[in-house]
Amino acid sequence: MSGPPRAGLSRAALGRVPGLPGGRREVTCPYCFAATAPQRIPFRCRGRAGRQQGCAPVLDEALAAYTGSTAGASLPPVFDPPGRRTAQAGRADCPACGRPTGNRVCPRCHNPLPPAYCDSPGRIVALVGAKNAGKSTYIAVLLHELMNRVGTELDASLVACDDRTIERYKRDFARPLLEEQRLLPTTASAATSPREPLVYLLTRTRRGRFARARNDALALVLFDTAGEDLRSREVTDLHLRYLEAADAVVFLVDPLELPGARPVLRDAVPAPRVPGEDPDSEPLNVIARVTDTLRGRHGARPGEPLPVPVAVALTKMDALRPDLLRQSALHRTRTGAGVLDLDDRDAVHEQVRALLHDWRAGQLDTYLGQQYADHAFFALSALGGVPADGRVGAGGVRPHRAEDPLLWLLYRFGMLDGVRPGGE
């Protein structure tokens, strides 16, 4: 495969780039993205329970405004923390009824902020891609892998931070795709309903000096973005405010949307969209609109690289001809050693770059190198096979390297060690 020389490789793909900040000094609400100092986070009264005294429910106008409905918005009242020490302890007595509570809420939208989320170094990861890039499918498979195979490898647990996350993952992701083997529908636009994130706490047990165990925790917030919300800058600005709070971005790119990919597709794969037919949905245009939003958040000057780590993943690699990947780093199975293999990371990055240039999509590589300080390329398959008639292939869901982008981000966040087995 042809492509530019290694000199163009992102610094982040070659190794860890120092200077990425640790935990947040403020807690960012994963629902409305208001940033608040931990000692200023309000509490919600626990209310009445049985014969115990407690505050009666009242209409929470802030929560009703966020959800667009008064249904489920009648709850015990919210009150400000009485002092810094109380707020740091995570509990306070309701000034009206005297009952202690540990229920904290966002000061703006009054959605609940789980204690684990408030106490951990939160990171918001935005998943972005045009329509049909497979974002929802990718989220379903990624979370399943973290709860099972990859979680075991990393000695990590992944626990939902709220009941809404538990219910939404089961209803919208796990049940239809993993249990019923049905393909997921396209994501609804943020214009029709409030964006509901999936909020998890990822905790790793690591061995430090003298083999002492320590737990490192990371709050992980995931969104699946509707492709139609990325079709114009106006819609992006209106509905994707969460991008302004993103600590990292995963761009999913459907290789079938790239102009030169047709010759390398399996015969059974339908022909891709005609290049130029829908320019608003082309990967480079989608990435450019998101980049404009991030530049506004960071106040970056023209020509100044953005500090947000960016993972760019080619999805649906199972649609490519087997002979293309047989001798490729993309075909290899990642070694499950609980670390990031930096030699493998470099090899995959370079091979994807070469593919992009072969497929007349080299501008993606050029643009990302100009706009971001840290970016890395990936190739994966969430399903592991070509679906048919709205259902998963006969072999079931068999993901291939779906976890790679997140492992690289964990490495960038200081949650995962990187090694070079080749001794470089």
Side-chain angles (χ1 to χ4, degrees):
M1 289 183 284
S2 60
R6 184 179 175 86
L9 183 59
S10 162
R11 288 179 295 150
L14 288 169
R16 193 174 198 165
V17 178
L20 189 69
R24 292 178 177 273
R25 294 183 179 179
E26 295 182 317
V27 176
T28 299
C29 172
Y31 301 98
C32 74
F33 310 105
T36 310
Q39 65 270 20
R40 296 177 180 266
I41 298 176
F43 290 83
R44 186 184 295 280
C45 177
R46 293 174 60 191
R48 296 173 179 172
R51 297 182 179 180
Q52 292 182 342
Q53 289 293 106
C55 292
V58 295
L59 177 62
D60 189 326
E61 295 183 357
L63 184 61
Y66 172 84
T67 61
S69 171
T70 58
S74 291
L75 297 166
V78 170
F79 62 91
D80 291 330
R84 178 185 296 267
R85 181 174 299 179
T86 299
Q88 289 177 340
R91 297 187 67 81
D93 294 337
C94 175
C97 69
R99 291 197 68 192
T101 179
N103 300 332
R104 287 181 280 185
V105 300
C106 169
R108 179 187 293 173
C109 67
H110 286 189
N111 273 289
L113 296 179
Y117 184 79
C118 295
D119 298 337
S120 301
R123 298 287 187 183
I124 294 177
V125 177
L127 283 177
V128 178
K131 188 176 181 179
N132 298 323
K135 297 176 293 296
S136 297
T137 299
Y138 177 68
I139 287 178
V141 171
L142 174 65
L143 291 174
H144 183 266
E145 291 290 277
L146 288 173
M147 294 174 190
N148 295 279
R149 179 182 61 86
V150 177
T152 300
E153 172 198 334
L154 298 179
D155 200 7
S157 62
L158 186 75
V159 179
C161 284
D162 57 28
D163 292 338
R164 282 188 292 185
T165 292
I166 296 173
E167 175 58 28
R168 185 173 179 232
Y169 175 70
K170 288 182 178 178
R171 181 190 68 237
D172 297 344
F173 297 91
R175 187 175 298 127
L177 181 69
L178 302 174
E179 297 178 15
E180 300 172 2
Q181 303 284 290
R182 293 186 290 109
L183 298 185
L184 300 179
T186 56
T187 304
S189 169
T192 61
S193 61
R195 178 66 60 225
E196 283 290 335
L198 297 166
V199 187
Y200 287 90
L201 186 70
L202 180 70
T203 304
R204 288 199 67 208
T205 300
R206 305 173 73 183
R207 297 288 173 180
R209 193 176 182 183
F210 307 117
R212 292 178 179 174
R214 75 176 191 272
N215 291 330
D216 290 342
L218 174 76
L220 184 64
V221 182
L222 295 174
F223 286 83
D224 53 328
T225 308
E228 62 188 285
D229 287 344
L230 294 162
R231 292 176 58 86
S232 71
R233 281 173 170 80
E234 290 77 14
V235 175
T236 300
D237 290 342
L238 181 62
H239 297 301
L240 300 184
R241 300 297 186 193
Y242 74 90
L243 287 172
E244 298 180 359
D247 297 286
V249 179
V250 177
F251 286 116
L252 298 183
V253 175
D254 182 355
L256 278 66
E257 297 286 332
L258 303 179
R262 175 73 261 184
V264 298
L265 298 178
R266 296 174 183 261
D267 294 336
V269 176
R273 178 181 55 79
V274 177
E277 178 183 311
D278 186 7
D280 286 340
S281 295
E282 290 181 1
L284 181 58
N285 292 333
V286 170
I287 291 174
R289 284 191 285 275
V290 172
T291 301
D292 283 350
T293 300
L294 292 172
R295 281 198 169 279
R297 173 246 174 142
H298 288 277
R301 299 186 301 271
E304 180 184 2
L306 286 164
V308 180
V310 172
V312 181
L314 295 182
T315 61
K316 306 178 184 179
M317 294 303 287
D318 51 87
L320 302 182
R321 291 202 321 265
D323 58 298
L324 176 73
L325 304 177
R326 189 165 293 121
Q327 303 301 321
S328 165
L330 310 184
H331 180 70
R332 292 198 300 257
T333 300
R334 184 184 58 82
T335 57
V339 295
L340 183 66
D341 184 333
L342 297 176
D343 292 335
D344 174 76
R345 176 82 291 279
D346 292 350
V348 170
H349 177 95
E350 284 297 329
Q351 293 236 338
V352 174
R353 289 182 69 241
L355 281 176
L356 290 174
H357 285 268
D358 283 350
W359 294 345
R360 306 195 301 276
Q363 278 202 345
L364 274 174
D365 177 33
T366 302
Y367 180 81
L368 290 162
Q370 294 169 341
Q371 301 296 322
Y372 294 94
D374 310 321
H375 78 276
F377 289 119
F378 302 82
L380 57 90
S381 172
L383 296 178
V386 178
D389 300 323
R391 300 190 64 81
V392 175
V397 177
R398 295 173 288 110
H400 178 66
R401 305 195 69 148
E403 69 276 13
D404 281 15
L406 183 60
L407 293 184
W408 177 70
L409 291 176
L410 291 178
Y411 168 68
R412 296 292 293 109
F413 292 156
M415 289 281 290
L416 187 67
D417 295 328
V419 299
R420 291 195 178 277
E424 181 181 334

